[in-house]
Amino acid sequence: MPPTIDRRGAALRGPSAVDVALEVNGERVVVHVPPRRTLLDALREQLGLTGTKKVCDEGTCGACTVLVDGRPVYSCLTLAIACENRRVETIEGLAKDGELHPVQRAFVDTDAFQCGFCTPGQVMSIVALLRTVPQPTEDDVKRAVAGNLCRCGAYPNIVAAGVSAGRRKRT
Amino acid sequence: MNAFSYVRPRTLSDGLRLLRSGASALAGGTDLLGLMKDGLARPELLVDLTGIEGLRGWSRAKGKGLRIGALTPLVELEEAEELHRAMPILRESLRDAATLQLRTMGTVGGNLLQRNRCWYFRDQATACWLKGGTKCFAVEGENRLHAILGAHECVAVAPSDLVPALIAYDAEIALASSRGRRTMKLADLYVAPHGRERREHVLRPGELITEVRVSESALARKGAFQKAMERKAWSFALVSVAAAARIERGVARDVRLVLGGVAPIPWRVVAAERGLEGSGFDEAACAEAADRALQGAAPLRDNGYKLPLARELVRRTLRSLVV
Amino acid sequence: MTRILKSIEEFEGEVSESLVIVDGHDLPPARHDGGSPEIGRSRRRIDATQRVTGRARYTQDLYLAGMLHARILRSPHARARVRRIDTKRAEALPGVRGVLHRFNTPKTPFRGDDVIFREEVRFVGEEVCAVAADDEDTAREALALIEVDYERLPHVVDLEEALGDVAPQLESDGNVSESGSHKRGDTKRALKEADVAVDVTYRTSTQLHNALETHGAVALYDGEMLTVWESTQHVFGVRTGLKNALKLPYSRIRVICDYMGGGFGAKNGVGKYTIVASLFAMRFGKAVRCVLTRDEENLAAGNRSATLQQLRLGAKGGRITAIEHTSWSNSGQGKWIANPTGPTNTLYEVANVNTRSYKVVTNAGSLSAFRAPGYVEGAFALESAIDELAEAAGVDPLTLRRRHAGAGKDPITGNRYSDKHLLECYRIGAKEIGWDRRRAGGTRGSAPHRRRGIGMASQIWGGGGGPPAYATVHVDPDGSVVLTAGTQDIGTGTRTVLAQICADELGVELDDVRVQIGDSAGPFGPMSAGSMTLASVGPAVRLAAHDAREQLLGAAAGVLETPKAELRLEAGAIVSKGARTPLGEVLGKVDNNTVIGKGIRFPNADDLAQKTFSAQFAEVEVDVRTGEIFVERIVAALDVGRIVNPLTAASQVEGGVIQGIGFALSEERIVDRALGRVMSGNLEGYKVPTVKDVPTIVVKFVDRPDRRANNLGAKGLGEPPIIPTAAAIANAVANATGARVRHSPLTRARVLEALALAGIRD
Ligand SMILES: Cc1cc2nc3c(=O)[nH]c(=O)nc-3n(C[C@H](O)[C@H](O)[C@H](O)COP(=O)(O)OP(=O)(O)OC[C@H]3O[C@@H](n4cnc5c(N)ncnc54)[C@H](O)[C@@H]3O)c2cc1C
Ligand code: SF4
Ligand code: FES
Ligand code: FES
């Protein structure tokens, strides 16, 4: 169905499914979704990127954190359609050629997770931090992940991972 | 979430035109989408404001005060160094607001217009007074987070951290609708729900906030902000206090004192401000102002603790303006 | 020779006897000389890469072709009779495949009931109806179209209201029933003769598990086999639950849990959502997914009961002479309660003890085990009361505990402890926190109106594990190893430590071991709960690896034509007179042969008590004007036998402490009494700790193998670290301020009230 054109030209889209073009982990993809589809559901259900987790679906846990245009956001409170032509980065896009991203490596080395369910979100938050603060302090890391709950209580190691990933990047 | 159509206009006039009845403005979506998921808002059309030129960012022209676009993400107010120098209370009030992700998504306009967090309100299954029902469930129910001051039929509290800080600087908002433009004091945006007025603010249908303005003279004030939470982060305020004053040779002028989390609206306490006018924020004056700020408080079953907490936070915030 | 032996096991405070089939002999205790290549070494998790790349597949992440989505309609009433259900409109919705409810669902026995949809629903959130549809949105929309005619009945949700006379009585014998008692000596007399006594009441609020992955299952039926993926702590428990509910033989049910996002005790067995998914799967021959939302999780997936506890303690001559402890637990609609008087019965050597615990039924969600159920609540009360007694008696609280913590025997059974180093925990912890800096009345804090204090508390818990548990070790001709064991990794690092044990005993590199767990198609093993995984499964793995190694050496002896006694297996190579031949090379000569080692968990000695012990020390500051608590440091000193992997063990302890901090300071289920509804049913209202709530945590292990416990010398570590935290914090707050808060969590309201009561303002 072609989009209804509002009288003066702004295109109304939906309520049924429409094609939405996204850049996900460096690749252009088109998903066919209704406007009400969240970015989180589009990633998980349309694109099979299930690394990003759904825990609360209402902005109260952080497990769904992804980067949009390089900034950390909750994908459960973001509409897929609102990310049209934006850059979306998820946990699946971090490792390159089988090499873990420094933040992932730091998580492995410091045992910064237990069940691992919050981990993709924590990692993305720290990845975003390191882009603006390459060598973060403990407080910087805490500010970055204060919006990522970990029920297993891996926090001390998550903070250590963030700090050490910063140091690692320098070398 | 109900099904809806979506549009992302490029210009303000397009945006205003699209905001007909049944449509809602979408900024960061952090509040609106939450409400929609809970069935508390069911717009047919979402007008995404984030594509509109000119509503994002801030500026400070010499002598003309500060202007902050309504679509500016909160995180920008928090991080911009220049802004921090001009108005440090912005960073102070936002630092403990929500989380970095929410501040990255959430905008100034959305923060001003976010709805209350009363857990009966947010529970779809409870048809409370504010949602058109007959009864406020919090008054006799679970009310540890509710109002101790200024409530009528609804005892939910004003949730924003930013708003008290802005009101302490006499911020104004610029509004636009397809019928024209107007400005008003930010403080006047809010109403305590009562009688037929079952909502928290007086924005007209189809109207948008375009800008928040702080005058040059207000920027000369010194400000301070404190917030008490249930845990060390990611908590709405149990009580928050914003205070500001121009301090000339140790003497306070234009004192402002605004509390969040204690009343259905941002709770400005003019009586306490007057008492402080001309003082040096000495211990006695601050303590007296704290008492005045809580005058008339009527705690419910479980929120009596907010009284001593607010009193102490007021005292401390005021004192911190001089020490 | 196959024979039957008796074994004594403890699970979550309950001691029981069982019979075990055994064959062959157990191994002697493993060496503990620092020479082990793997055991006792910090190792990264072997599944770490999967977890940090998002490739680890959790139940929630399974999207199978043609899968249907099931959702559950839940009662909005705390108590009501379901009179009529009209699903016509829901079934007419395009995409809806079917509905289940009490009028169309066959008998499916579930935890003592014979149906999953009861005629009388008894809490807000109880299952009333289920819908299967082509997608999640349709299923959700269908729920809104179902009309249920409820006859509302009087309800009660609050523990103390349920104890009163006016509350509706929910069971034929009332709301209250005794669930356990213990008596030794004569507390009445001892209290009468005491120099000092305290008589205090404590309360603990309901804590919600809130594992990040909600409960959920994906079921698939192919006409022969029912395969269920479930986020569970016990694949075999789910299998048993399904067998009972669906009357299928074990051989036709397979339960898989590859990765799971936390359980903390709430995922110990089958859920109604599992049965719903399975019934739909069997009806439609398709995969069916039923995953709970966060709200559902907090209504209907279990909790740690709220408690009301009364304690009377007496001391004479600087020693505790009597403890009376009566406890009431809000079990909701649960069929049991955990025992808060457990620590009182067993932690200290006190001559006169009299305890009683009661289960109180209410119209609230059922309790389920939550990391050291009963003991966390009980320790909060007991260890607070001991401090109150010490203060009244003018004795240092640590000194007072020392006088009673040295006993070598379990006071109930009289059995000797297999090992015990509680006094050593005290010594280590006191030194680390700087107990000698503690002053009665606290010290000045780092800012105006802040007071500083130190407190401590101790802990006892089982953790010895026991049979049955099985493992096999397959060695393939290329020298690679597959370890299969009956267990699952719930985030505790089970895969990794089992691989370490296997590599260590077998003599191969850690990287050579692949671990296959979380699948009921493998050999049986216990639930990952009660701190029993390592102590149950680890010894079986060691035995299986040992068995495989013996066979490998025998085979190598044949291939290399060297006497077996001259061969060793080390780091994946056969070593003979200094020459190393990689295992793969040796076995290459007998290609396509498989060596299978087998191991079982041998019984526990029936005359020993296997316990874990620890102490925690907390240093806090309290703002006496705002009631804010700042936990600055927690020191945990633990005696849990041998530590297999210090890195992951420390993580476990930190995690337990942090959940303990949540219990102590901010976590609280809040229920509207009139509506019976959980108001804090999401992660906004229910406050679990964030990164900023976490203090410096120092973890110290005594790290001595418990040689009488099992062939590894290791005991469990899951629950010990959460047990004493809240009490240590409450004691530190009391030390800092002089005000005692007797209700956890210690919210602003409670702290400010206690401070006001004590007249403290600076
Ligand atoms: C878990 C959680 C915790 C939070 N904690 C805090 C906290 O501690 N302190 C705090 O201050 N806030 C807190 N917030 C609130 C958060 O700051 C607001 O949700 C956010 O600022 C809203 O901005 P938005 O752009 O996302 O608004 P949206 O959700 O997009 O919009 C909110 C409302 O405003 C309307 N609207 C938006 N922009 C305009 C405009 N320019 N003109 C007219 N109408 C407009 C929308 O139509 C909608 O009705 C929290 C939120 C969540 C979800
Ligand atoms: S406080 Fe207001 S929003 Fe909350 S239940 Fe009462 S009327 Fe509804
Ligand atoms: S799932 Fe998005 S914040 Fe919880
Ligand atoms: S590792 Fe389990 S929630 Fe963070």
Side-chain angles (χ1 to χ4, degrees):
Chain A
M1 201 172 46
T4 322
I5 305 291
D6 178 63
R7 271 181 291 132
R8 300 211 208 140
L12 293 191
R13 304 168 74 198
S16 44
V18 297
D19 283 345
V20 174
L22 307 168
E23 187 196 310
V24 178
N25 298 327
E27 266 177 55
R28 278 192 70 78
V29 294
V30 175
V31 292
H32 190 65
V33 295
R36 69 167 155 173
R37 184 78 76 245
T38 60
L39 177 60
L40 174 61
D41 286 343
L43 290 170
R44 290 176 54 82
E45 292 170 25
Q46 258 75 33
L47 296 171
L49 296 173
T50 54
T52 307
K53 302 298 182 221
K54 185 193 279 194
V55 165
C56 71
D57 208 23
E58 56 184 1
T60 56
C61 77
C64 66
T65 301
V66 301
L67 310 191
V68 174
D69 290 341
R71 292 278 199 159
V73 302
Y74 295 147
S75 58
C76 69
L77 288 183
T78 303
L79 296 176
I81 198 169
C83 295
E84 179 109 66
N85 297 322
R86 297 211 168 124
R87 239 174 346 108
V88 178
E89 291 167 83
T90 73
I91 189 77
E92 288 91 347
L94 290 183
K96 293 272 164 4
D97 307 323
E99 274 280 301
L100 294 185
H101 185 281
V103 175
Q104 291 173 313
R105 250 190 300 141
F107 267 64
V108 173
D109 291 347
T110 58
D111 205 40
F113 50 85
Q114 291 175 36
C115 76
F117 214 70
C118 70
T119 311
Q122 309 273 5
V123 168
M124 295 316 288
S125 287
I126 295 178
V127 166
L129 169 69
L130 292 186
R131 293 206 186 138
T132 47
V133 186
Q135 285 166 47
T137 62
E138 285 196 5
D139 282 346
D140 293 333
V141 179
K142 285 185 185 172
R143 172 171 177 267
V145 299
N148 293 84
L149 296 180
C150 173
R151 188 48 162 159
C152 296
Y155 296 125
N157 297 346
I158 291 168
V159 173
V163 172
S164 83
R167 282 203 217 101
R168 213 181 274 246
K169 268 195 123 173
R170 194 167 26 158
T171 57
Chain B
M1 256 196 285
N2 61 298
F4 55 82
S5 304
Y6 170 91
V7 61
R8 191 159 184 261
R10 297 271 151 212
T11 64
L12 182 59
S13 58
D14 274 352
L16 292 173
R17 194 169 35 73
L18 286 159
L19 275 171
R20 50 179 197 238
S21 102
S24 275
L26 173 73
T30 57
D31 192 36
L32 184 57
L33 295 184
L35 291 166
M36 289 168 66
K37 285 185 185 196
D38 289 337
L40 302 174
R42 311 182 131 262
E44 289 159 17
L45 172 67
L46 281 192
V47 181
D48 186 342
L49 307 180
T50 57
I52 297 179
E53 307 284 333
L55 292 186
R56 189 176 167 143
W58 58 275
S59 67
R60 187 183 179 193
K62 258 220 152 56
K64 294 236 182 81
L66 183 65
R67 305 164 80 108
I68 303 169
L71 269 290
T72 311
L74 299 172
V75 73
E76 262 180 63
L77 302 197
E78 181 193 359
E79 289 180 352
E81 280 307 325
E82 209 180 318
L83 207 49
H84 179 57
R85 279 192 297 277
M87 196 172 163
I89 201 170
L90 291 177
R91 181 180 295 175
E92 259 181 77
S93 64
L94 287 171
R95 200 170 28 207
D96 282 332
T99 66
L100 184 59
Q101 291 94 323
L102 287 165
R103 297 194 300 274
T104 301
M105 305 160 75
T107 63
V108 173
N111 188 279
L112 267 42
L113 290 168
Q114 62 175 299
R115 302 214 61 188
N116 79 74
R117 306 303 296 194
C118 168
W119 40 35
Y120 296 96
F121 175 70
R122 297 269 165 177
D123 175 9
Q124 190 171 7
T126 314
C128 77
W129 178 83
L130 188 64
K131 290 186 278 188
T134 52
K135 169 175 171 190
C136 168
F137 289 89
V139 172
E140 284 168 4
E142 295 302 320
N143 50 36
R144 61 179 68 190
L145 302 176
H146 289 75
I148 52 173
L149 280 161
H152 304 274
E153 285 90 334
C154 167
V155 293
V157 295
S160 168
D161 293 328
L162 179 63
V163 168
L166 287 173
I167 292 178
Y169 279 73
D170 295 335
E172 290 192 338
I173 50 175
L175 302 164
S177 72
S178 48
R179 315 232 305 272
R181 295 180 177 248
R182 59 174 177 148
T183 58
M184 67 159 85
K185 289 202 167 127
L186 174 58
D188 295 338
L189 179 63
Y190 301 100
V191 285
H194 68 280
R196 300 214 326 264
E197 196 80 72
R198 298 198 192 202
R199 57 181 196 152
E200 300 101 318
H201 59 74
V202 297
L203 195 79
R204 293 177 191 147
E207 204 169 30
L208 289 179
I209 299 179
T210 55
E211 206 169 78
V212 176
R213 296 177 188 156
V214 180
S215 73
E216 199 61 37
S217 62
L219 288 176
R221 291 176 198 165
K222 190 169 177 203
F225 180 88
Q226 298 215 10
K227 175 181 181 183
M229 300 188 277
E230 285 180 290
R231 61 181 173 196
K232 301 279 182 270
W234 210 348
S235 237
F236 283 94
L238 295 171
V239 175
S240 68
V241 180
R246 195 157 45 81
I247 298 170
E248 284 174 354
R249 277 171 254 105
V251 176
R253 302 283 172 218
D254 298 340
V255 182
R256 295 291 179 275
L257 179 64
V258 190
L259 280 70
V262 296
I265 56 171
W267 194 247
R268 183 170 164 202
V269 216
V270 177
E273 293 172 357
R274 286 215 190 97
L276 288 162
E277 203 68 33
S279 80
F281 288 118
D282 51 289
E283 267 301 348
C286 292
E288 198 193 319
D291 285 338
R292 279 198 195 166
L294 277 305
Q295 233 154 45
L300 305 163
R301 188 190 74 203
D302 294 332
N303 66 3
Y305 72 96
K306 283 194 178 187
L307 220 88
L309 181 57
R311 202 178 281 129
E312 177 62 12
L313 234 52
V314 168
R315 193 193 63 77
R316 272 183 202 182
T317 312
L318 291 171
R319 284 290 290 160
S320 74
L321 288 173
V322 286
V323 293
Chain C
M1 194 191 54
T2 307
R3 59 207 187 277
I4 297 281
L5 296 179
K6 206 170 75 179
S7 179
I8 299 272
E9 291 115 47
E10 177 170 348
F11 178 63
E12 318 228 294
E14 298 293 322
V15 178
S16 61
E17 222 178 81
S18 67
L19 295 177
V20 195
I21 312 172
V22 304
D23 193 31
H25 294 280
D26 203 357
L27 295 172
R31 64 188 176 165
H32 185 61
D33 54 8
S36 299
E38 283 298 332
I39 295 182
R41 312 259 172 228
S42 282
R43 293 283 181 254
R44 298 180 192 103
R45 291 177 198 237
I46 60 173
D47 51 8
T49 302
Q50 295 303 96
R51 293 195 201 255
V52 299
T53 52
R55 285 198 298 251
R57 248 178 227 287
Y58 297 77
T59 301
Q60 191 198 74
D61 301 332
L62 280 175
Y63 291 94
L64 304 179
M67 183 170 84
L68 304 181
H69 298 256
R71 292 196 58 87
I72 294 170
L73 182 73
R74 297 179 179 276
S75 170
H77 304 301
R79 188 170 167 224
R81 197 164 293 131
V82 176
R83 282 196 295 223
R84 211 173 50 83
I85 299 181
D86 184 347
T87 58
K88 273 197 284 317
R89 285 170 61 216
E91 286 179 280
L93 193 70
V96 171
R97 297 297 182 115
V99 293
L100 289 171
H101 48 70
R102 80 179 192 84
F103 299 106
N104 73 357
T105 304
K107 281 217 159 92
T108 37
F110 179 85
R111 291 201 196 143
D113 290 315
D114 57 3
V115 290
I116 52 170
F117 301 112
R118 300 194 288 188
E119 177 182 3
E120 185 179 314
V121 286
R122 291 190 156 201
F123 64 93
V124 172
E126 180 160 344
E127 296 78 356
V128 173
C129 202
V131 175
D134 290 344
D135 58 63
E136 203 61 54
D137 284 340
T138 308
R140 191 177 310 123
E141 276 155 31
L143 291 187
L145 298 175
I146 296 172
E147 285 158 36
V148 184
D149 179 11
Y150 294 102
E151 175 192 340
R152 298 196 48 188
L153 299 168
H155 71 264
V156 59
V157 292
D158 180 69
L159 172 62
E160 289 175 52
E161 259 176 44
L163 286 171
D165 302 334
V166 292
Q169 300 298 303
L170 304 177
E171 302 286 342
S172 53
D173 52 352
N175 296 337
V176 185
S177 56
E178 188 178 313
S179 77
S181 65
H182 170 66
K183 189 166 190 276
R184 59 180 187 258
D186 182 348
T187 49
K188 274 221 178 75
R189 209 172 96 197
L191 282 169
K192 209 178 295 159
E193 292 171 358
D195 307 335
V196 286
V198 293
D199 184 343
V200 275
T201 301
Y202 297 91
R203 291 175 173 81
T204 64
S205 294
T206 304
Q207 190 183 18
L208 296 166
H209 299 71
N210 271 313
L212 286 201
E213 185 183 28
T214 58
H215 287 64
V218 175
L220 178 66
Y221 186 67
D222 66 1
E224 269 200 353
M225 277 297 284
L226 175 68
T227 305
V228 173
W229 290 263
E230 168 135 355
S231 178
T232 182
Q233 296 171 240
H234 200 204
V235 289
F236 296 97
V238 174
R239 188 180 65 159
T240 302
L242 287 172
K243 175 187 115 181
N244 294 341
L246 306 173
K247 323 271 179 332
L248 290 173
Y250 276 148
S251 59
R252 297 200 173 224
I253 308 170
R254 181 174 174 199
V255 180
I256 301 172
C257 174
D258 200 3
Y259 288 90
M260 65 90 80
F264 315 115
K267 295 178 179 167
N268 286 349
V270 75
K272 288 189 180 174
Y273 54 88
T274 327
I275 298 172
V276 163
S278 302
L279 287 171
F280 279 134
M282 291 171 75
R283 177 172 338 158
F284 298 116
K286 287 185 174 242
V288 180
R289 177 183 200 263
C290 189
V291 172
L292 303 196
T293 63
R294 180 60 39 191
D295 288 354
E296 291 179 287
E297 183 78 9
N298 282 335
L299 286 176
N303 58 67
R304 182 193 302 282
S305 315
T307 66
L308 169 69
Q309 304 181 52
Q310 284 176 349
L311 280 113
R312 231 170 273 132
L313 279 71
K316 192 172 174 161
R319 289 181 62 89
I320 307 166
T321 49
I323 312 181
E324 290 181 352
H325 185 173
T326 312
S327 170
W328 293 265
S329 301
N330 185 347
S331 72
Q333 284 294 300
K335 309 276 192 227
W336 63 290
I337 58 158
N339 184 7
T341 62
T344 307
N345 295 341
T346 55
L347 180 51
Y348 297 116
E349 187 177 32
V350 171
N352 306 293
V353 173
N354 190 353
T355 69
R356 213 167 277 275
S357 54
Y358 295 95
K359 173 180 128 188
V360 182
V361 294
T362 63
N363 298 109
S366 310
L367 92 158
S368 58
F370 188 158
R371 209 167 187 170
Y375 277 54
V376 170
E377 306 88 290
F380 173 73
L382 172 70
E383 289 291 87
S384 295
I386 293 217
D387 262 43
E388 298 206 53
L389 182 70
E391 165 135 19
V395 185
D396 172 80
L398 177 57
T399 308
L400 181 62
R401 285 181 177 83
R402 277 202 178 105
R403 290 175 185 154
H404 299 273
K409 281 194 304 198
D410 174 58
I412 297 186
T413 59
N415 286 342
R416 257 183 333 125
Y417 291 126
S418 54
D419 203 12
K420 178 179 176 182
H421 303 286
L422 182 55
L423 290 172
E424 178 68 0
C425 295
Y426 287 169
R427 194 187 62 75
I428 297 171
K431 179 156 172 259
E432 186 64 36
I433 199 84
W435 186 259
D436 50 6
R437 292 182 296 129
R438 182 181 184 275
R439 298 283 166 271
T443 55
R444 276 188 25 201
S446 59
H449 316 300
R450 279 215 207 168
R451 303 282 311 162
R452 177 175 279 268
I454 297 178
M456 60 85 56
S458 38
Q459 160 266 318
I460 187 168
W461 179 252
Y470 305 91
T472 60
V473 169
H474 292 225
V475 184
D476 285 317
D478 65 350
S480 60
V481 178
V482 179
L483 164 64
T484 309
T487 186
Q488 46 278 311
D489 192 333
I490 61 170
T492 50
T494 303
R495 267 193 195 87
T496 308
V497 294
L498 295 185
Q500 284 179 272
I501 294 164
C502 176
D504 196 274
E505 184 65 33
L506 191 58
V508 298
E509 302 279 4
L510 187 59
D511 285 347
D512 292 333
V513 182
R514 245 197 72 73
V515 180
Q516 239 171 245
I517 55 174
D519 189 342
S520 73
F524 182 87
M527 65 174 70
S528 298
S531 307
M532 39 180 217
T533 307
L534 178 59
S536 302
V537 185
V541 169
R542 190 173 162 234
L543 198 51
H546 179 83
D547 183 17
R549 188 184 57 174
E550 289 305 308
Q551 296 180 45
L552 286 169
L553 290 175
V559 171
L560 300 174
E561 296 176 357
T562 313
K564 187 180 162 203
E566 288 173 21
L567 300 179
R568 276 177 301 134
L569 182 48
E570 248 180 44
I574 298 287
V575 183
S576 160
K577 302 205 185 83
R580 306 174 65 87
T581 323
L583 193 54
E585 211 169 286
V586 177
L587 293 176
K589 306 244 160 69
V590 284
D591 202 8
N592 289 338
N593 285 248
T594 308
V595 167
I596 306 176
K598 168 174 156 266
I600 65 169
R601 171 62 156 84
F602 270 79
N604 294 327
D606 59 8
D607 57 351
L608 290 177
Q610 300 189 15
K611 302 281 184 182
T612 55
F613 299 92
S614 75
Q616 281 181 30
F617 294 74
E619 182 158 12
V620 306
E621 284 202 2
V622 182
D623 187 319
V624 298
R625 294 279 187 92
T626 64
E628 184 167 11
I629 296 170
F630 303 84
V631 180
E632 309 229 308
R633 226 163 106 83
I634 300 271
V635 173
L638 303 99
D639 162 28
V640 293
R642 183 180 209 182
I643 301 301
V644 176
N645 185 336
L647 178 66
T648 55
S651 296
Q652 269 291 295
V653 175
E654 288 164 359
V657 168
I658 290 167
Q659 279 180 352
I661 290 173
F663 176 80
L665 299 184
S666 59
E667 292 183 35
E668 183 167 22
R669 184 186 74 179
I670 296 159
V671 184
D672 181 285
R673 292 180 199 185
L675 300 171
R677 219 165 273 161
V678 176
M679 303 321 298
S680 58
N682 57 32
L683 290 168
E684 176 187 336
Y686 188 83
K687 297 269 183 319
V688 309
T690 71
V691 70
K692 291 199 178 170
D693 294 276
V694 174
T696 305
I697 301 171
V698 180
V699 181
K700 298 274 178 191
F701 293 112
V702 172
D703 195 11
R704 280 194 215 138
D706 183 340
R707 299 177 155 274
R708 294 186 205 91
N710 56 61
N711 72 31
L712 268 181
K715 288 184 285 199
L717 181 58
E719 357 291 277
I722 194 181
I723 295 173
T725 314
I729 291 173
N731 287 339
V733 168
N735 174 240
T737 62
R740 171 63 63 176
V741 187
R742 298 193 182 90
H743 189 159
S744 81
L746 280 63
T747 56
R748 301 284 187 134
R750 295 187 185 116
V751 175
L752 284 169
E753 189 187 347
L755 286 164
L757 215 66
I760 294 153
R761 277 196 43 85
D762 274 299

